[in-house]
Amino acid sequence: MIRVRITYTKKGWLKYTSNLDIQKLWERAIRRWPIARGITPSPK
Amino acid sequence: MLTNHQIAERLERILLTVQKPGRYVGGEINQVVKDWDSVETRIALAFPDIYDIGLSNLGLAIFYEDLNARTDVLAERTYAPWTDMEAAMREAEIPLYTLESKHALADFDILAFTLPYESIYTNALNMLDLAGLPLFTKDRDETHPLVIAGGHAALNPEPMHAFIDAFAVGEGEAIFGEIVDAYQAWKKSVQDRPALLHQLAQIPGIYIPSFYETTYNADGTIDTFTPTQPDAPAAIQKRIVGKLPPPPTRPIVPSINTVQNRVAVEIMRGCARGCRFCHAGMVNRPVRERPVEEILRAITTSLENSGFEEVALLSLSSSDYTHILDLIRQISEQYKDENLRISLPSLRIESLSIDLFEMLRGQGSGGFTLAPEAATEHMRNIINKPIQTRQLLDVAGEIYSRGWTTIKLYFMIGHPSETLEDVHAIADLCKQVISEGRKAMGRKSKLNVGVSTFVPKPHTPFQWVSCDTVEQMREKQHYLRDALKVPGIKFNWSNPNETIFEAMLSRGDRRTADAIYHAWQHGAKFDSWREYFNHQTWQSAFAEYGLTSEFFTNRERSLDEHLPWDHIHTGVHKSYLAEEYNRSQSGTLTTYCREQCHACGILRDYRDLRAQYPGEDWKCPEVRSIVTDQTVSVQVEAAQ
């Protein structure tokens, strides 16, 4: 199990995106990261 | 007109007052933003429904990638704003804009609408109005964007003829580039709008409605439909691609939750089954398949570019794809550690195999959808969907026993020659299916039954038949509602008024345009949304112009009647459709056309293209020799 703590700020047009949708964006962003292949990210 | 910066500033003032502001801001992963001033042609791709639905439209995704691949073009997206956003935009005097650069639609050279279904016509009008553009083509000139449209609904373009400058008939990949080239040539020549329309009319597959006129007989039927310009062709032949181009691989990743969040790869275009009611099956011929390697490459690249966790293998009948087992096996092996879900939205009962079930096992324990469409073999012969009841029950048993808890079954009522016994058989069959579920997994098994009402669509063998009346639909639905009050079964049905509305628009002629405009003026929009569909508004609009459902929907048409869409040629000839209609009346089946070519007309119209692309990609027989223009016979090899 790898734990990563990410701190982020919503700026620009992204401020209009809900927190749940941002969590989903993070999951997809991590999947696009080549070294994360096979990881199933689950934000808490 | 406001600049894009002014639009952005005004948006900041209203976005926090509307639901889901993420629909209106763009900025998604894989969006393309080009320098506005460095391109020659700017195109706005418009989907006349909300962002949540339009984002997953595959046609729009294809054009977005194709057009943006050109260095001289930029393509941006726009969707219909939901009613709260529309009100806020009107109050703040913000014109409709594109998500990428926030430029007003009026700043673009070309505004291209996708019209996949008829119930979004009023949304298209509303978008033109929100953009500050004249709604009628006659009121637009060279200072306005060229307004074009394509898509399945545009294969009967007449109801929208007054609002669209040019229709692209057929597959956009084959034609959009030529539209852009013609536009650029016209722009350099500094001519007026009619000159552009004349140049476009020379492109095969382009229909300029303002170049034609219709006369009517005393009984309301069409007498003549003729070109008013010497350079306008009498008929417009659908354009197709000989080989499916590589699929888009940079899907836009929405920043908000949309209806379908997944990579979509079209594995095959067209369907060879020949169901007589099916519009998509008839108008998308011929069948062309993509090679497995190309699909795998597209999936890999799209997943890397998006981070999606699901891939949909799209076609009209995915289990008919020649290499379906090999494809799913390879995808499953490649992504076995990555929880990738594979979705096959259209599966034929006849081509489902135990091997396919085994491969799909674990791909989701939710629903499995099957569409028998009719419950008796007599009716299935009429519609040419010959599934054996025993086969359907066996398949249902296999599905439940492999862990899927829910089966969705789709039926239609109102088929030609339907009797009440055919309707009763739907309820009986559903009870048999849920009983298979009970045997396999007990009370956990569920059955969702969707019963829609048949609308005779243009360009199909049933284009001449009449639609059920509202009273007939209600009687059948009432019976089914009572008969399907069974534990484990959930029954859904369509609103008869919505069915008649759909039929009026899909079978309409030029006179329907007045009613569409009238309905829009009186508040009609989002007509495909049950909460917004207003039967009274549409009834008044149709009545205002003397359009009755008795004439347009409940009237059997004779085979020699001039139909409103006769000038649009899809490649499947009217004589073949008539032959199929006659065969339906005697319940005679037409076999799967991969087994035997039935000479529907495709090979005659696209013989050169078939000869240019020999081999396995097309599922039509090979054309051995290209015959001269004077003769129309085509030599074909027997299908494998």
Side-chain angles (χ1 to χ4, degrees):
Chain A
M1 164 94 69
I2 303 168
R3 287 194 178 183
V4 180
R5 180 168 296 167
I6 298 170
T7 309
Y8 63 89
T9 311
K10 289 195 284 180
K11 293 202 292 195
W13 294 114
L14 215 58
K15 69 187 174 214
Y16 296 110
T17 306
S18 72
N19 286 340
L20 278 175
D21 288 331
I22 290 284
Q23 281 197 4
K24 199 75 188 163
L25 275 186
W26 273 112
E27 285 179 40
R28 291 186 182 135
I30 291 167
R31 276 199 205 92
R32 294 172 69 229
W33 197 21
I35 60 166
R37 267 199 95 149
I39 292 177
T40 308
S42 52
K44 298 258 187 298
Chain B
M1 191 57 74
L2 299 180
T3 66
N4 62 325
H5 296 296
Q6 289 168 321
I7 289 175
E9 276 170 29
R10 289 196 189 186
L11 279 175
E12 293 274 12
R13 285 185 238 155
I14 63 167
L15 281 173
L16 284 177
T17 67
V18 300
Q19 286 177 23
K20 291 201 187 180
R23 286 169 174 159
Y24 309 111
V25 297
E28 310 97 324
I29 292 165
N30 294 332
Q31 76 161 5
V32 179
V33 185
K34 288 189 176 179
D35 178 19
W36 182 263
D37 296 316
S38 68
V39 298
E40 202 176 325
T41 309
R42 301 165 189 100
I43 301 170
L45 298 173
F47 190 89
D49 210 320
I50 56 169
Y51 174 88
D52 316 36
I53 290 173
L55 194 79
S56 54
N57 183 270
L58 189 60
L60 210 71
I62 291 170
F63 302 143
Y64 189 71
E65 242 181 82
D66 272 6
L67 292 167
N68 278 317
R70 285 178 64 146
T71 53
D72 58 345
V73 171
L74 70 76
E76 301 189 348
R77 296 161 297 137
T78 187
Y79 304 91
W82 191 240
T83 48
D84 59 344
M85 180 62 172
E86 183 198 332
M89 285 171 69
R90 288 191 190 276
E91 186 164 348
E93 295 181 345
I94 300 173
L96 191 58
Y97 59 91
T98 54
L99 298 184
E100 284 80 357
S101 69
K102 313 288 182 293
H103 273 95
L105 297 193
D107 291 341
F108 283 79
D109 297 302
I110 299 174
L111 171 56
F113 280 104
T114 296
L115 299 175
Y117 39 87
E118 300 84 1
S119 51
I120 52 177
Y121 288 164
T122 49
N123 279 12
L125 265 58
N126 207 36
M127 289 172 79
L128 284 170
D129 184 62
L130 262 175
L133 296 170
L135 266 60
F136 290 94
T137 180
K138 67 179 169 53
D139 297 330
R140 291 193 295 265
D141 59 26
E142 53 281 0
T143 63
H144 300 112
L146 171 75
V147 178
I148 63 174
H152 278 182
L155 290 168
N156 175 17
E158 295 314 305
M160 288 293 278
H161 81 281
F163 315 108
I164 304 293
D165 301 328
F167 285 93
V169 176
E171 296 170 358
E173 303 105 313
I175 200 168
F176 219 142
E178 292 175 35
I179 296 173
V180 174
D181 294 342
Y183 184 90
Q184 290 178 342
W186 166 79
K187 205 168 179 184
K188 282 176 192 143
S189 68
V190 198
Q191 289 178 293
D192 58 8
R193 173 56 59 91
L196 172 60
L197 298 182
H198 279 282
Q199 285 187 29
L200 290 172
Q202 307 317 305
I203 301 173
I206 291 288
Y207 170 53
I208 311 290
S210 55
F211 287 0
Y212 298 80
E213 67 180 10
T214 312
T215 59
Y216 298 92
N217 296 310
D219 64 359
T221 57
I222 293 173
D223 180 22
T224 60
F225 182 87
T226 44
T228 55
Q229 304 291 321
D231 55 351
I236 292 85
Q237 183 76 32
K238 176 184 85 174
R239 290 285 295 277
I240 61 168
V241 289
K243 180 176 170 53
L244 297 183
T249 52
R250 298 191 64 81
I252 290 179
V253 184
S255 309
I256 63 165
N257 199 18
T258 57
V259 174
Q260 285 167 341
N261 293 302
R262 61 192 189 186
V263 165
V265 181
E266 187 186 25
I267 59 174
M268 177 174 80
R269 193 171 293 176
C271 177
R273 292 284 176 181
C275 301
R276 293 179 177 127
F277 59 85
C278 183
H279 184 251
M282 290 292 157
V283 303
N284 284 305
R285 291 183 178 200
V287 175
R288 285 143 296 163
E289 292 189 346
R290 254 196 187 112
V292 170
E293 302 70 39
E294 187 177 280
I295 296 168
L296 288 170
R297 268 199 309 276
I299 291 172
T300 304
T301 316
S302 301
L303 289 172
E304 282 171 7
N305 286 337
S306 67
F308 282 131
E309 56 273 31
E310 181 177 345
V311 60
L313 306 175
L314 301 185
S315 80
L316 292 173
S317 173
S318 297
S319 48
D320 283 340
Y321 175 65
T322 309
H323 311 290
I324 190 69
L325 292 176
D326 185 34
L327 176 63
I328 294 176
R329 185 183 49 75
Q330 291 203 48
I331 298 171
S332 306
E333 274 172 20
Q334 195 171 336
Y335 293 97
K336 62 176 183 286
D337 300 323
E338 298 186 34
N339 292 330
L340 179 72
R341 286 195 303 277
I342 304 169
S343 156
L344 288 169
S346 293
L347 295 172
R348 293 282 302 202
I349 294 161
E350 314 89 293
S351 50
L352 280 170
S353 63
I354 299 293
D355 288 343
L356 188 56
F357 282 128
E358 285 301 320
M359 284 184 184
L360 291 173
R361 190 202 281 266
Q363 288 298 325
S365 53
F368 203 110
T369 304
L370 301 170
E373 312 290 0
T376 60
E377 280 167 30
H378 152 256
M379 186 49 67
R380 293 191 202 119
N381 289 350
I382 289 175
I383 64 175
N384 203 41
K385 198 162 186 184
I387 306 154
Q388 305 299 314
T389 299
R390 188 63 257 162
Q391 190 182 14
L392 171 65
L393 295 175
D394 289 345
V395 165
E398 293 288 347
I399 293 169
Y400 285 125
S401 63
R402 278 170 169 74
W404 278 278
T405 54
T406 306
I407 291 181
K408 294 177 198 160
L409 283 185
Y410 287 130
F411 293 96
M412 275 196 283
I413 53 172
H415 288 302
S417 315
E418 185 180 63
T419 63
L420 276 180
E421 272 111 60
D422 294 309
V423 180
H424 295 176
I426 293 176
D428 296 340
L429 182 57
C430 291
K431 288 172 192 165
Q432 287 175 277
V433 169
I434 195 68
S435 143
E436 292 293 326
R438 295 292 191 250
K439 275 189 251 168
M441 56 169 36
R443 297 178 68 82
K444 259 170 55 184
S445 58
K446 303 272 179 252
L447 177 65
N448 291 346
V449 182
V451 179
S452 58
T453 305
F454 167 66
V455 171
K457 291 282 183 175
H459 306 292
T460 67
F462 288 161
Q463 62 181 353
W464 294 278
V465 308
S466 69
C467 194
D468 267 0
T469 62
V470 168
E471 293 70 32
Q472 287 170 317
M473 292 180 219
R474 288 216 168 105
E475 186 190 353
K476 292 170 185 176
Q477 289 174 345
H478 195 263
Y479 168 79
L480 287 172
R481 241 178 14 221
D482 286 343
L484 288 173
K485 280 181 186 157
V486 174
I489 296 183
K490 195 174 155 194
F491 172 53
N492 294 301
W493 63 96
S494 51
N495 176 346
N497 289 327
E498 288 173 23
T499 303
I500 293 293
F501 156 73
E502 183 193 339
M504 290 287 283
L505 292 194
S506 66
R507 300 168 65 77
D509 57 28
R510 290 200 160 200
R511 293 167 294 190
T512 320
D514 294 325
I516 293 171
Y517 180 64
H518 185 278
W520 170 76
Q521 277 186 311
H522 289 80
K525 61 189 160 194
F526 289 109
D527 296 302
S528 55
W529 293 73
R530 193 156 283 180
E531 63 268 44
Y532 276 95
F533 173 72
N534 189 326
H535 175 55
Q536 286 305 325
T537 304
W538 279 102
Q539 253 195 337
S540 314
F542 290 133
E544 179 77 19
Y545 294 95
L547 310 178
T548 64
S549 60
E550 287 74 25
F551 180 81
F552 282 97
T553 69
N554 305 131
R555 179 174 64 90
E556 177 124 6
R557 304 183 186 200
S558 69
L559 288 177
D560 57 1
E561 180 174 330
H562 191 130
L563 302 173
W565 49 88
D566 274 353
H567 53 290
I568 303 295
H569 289 187
T570 65
V572 177
H573 291 192
K574 196 175 176 185
S575 55
Y576 176 78
L577 297 177
E579 197 184 308
E580 275 296 284
Y581 173 49
N582 289 330
R583 288 169 73 85
S584 80
Q585 291 189 316
S586 58
T588 310
L589 288 171
T590 299
T591 53
Y592 189 26
C593 75
R594 287 191 187 194
E595 292 162 7
Q596 182 197 347
C597 177
H598 298 289
C600 66
I602 287 288
L603 271 185
R604 211 163 93 176
D605 288 1
Y606 301 101
R607 60 187 187 275
D608 293 353
L609 207 55
R610 177 62 175 128
Q612 209 180 322
Y613 293 96
E616 283 297 299
D617 288 350
W618 280 49
K619 294 302 162 195
C620 290
E622 296 273 8
V623 176
R624 264 201 187 135
S625 58
I626 298 175
V627 292
T628 63
D629 284 338
Q630 282 73 39
T631 59
V632 289
S633 63
V634 174
Q635 296 176 18
V636 296
E637 287 178 355
Q640 295 284 314

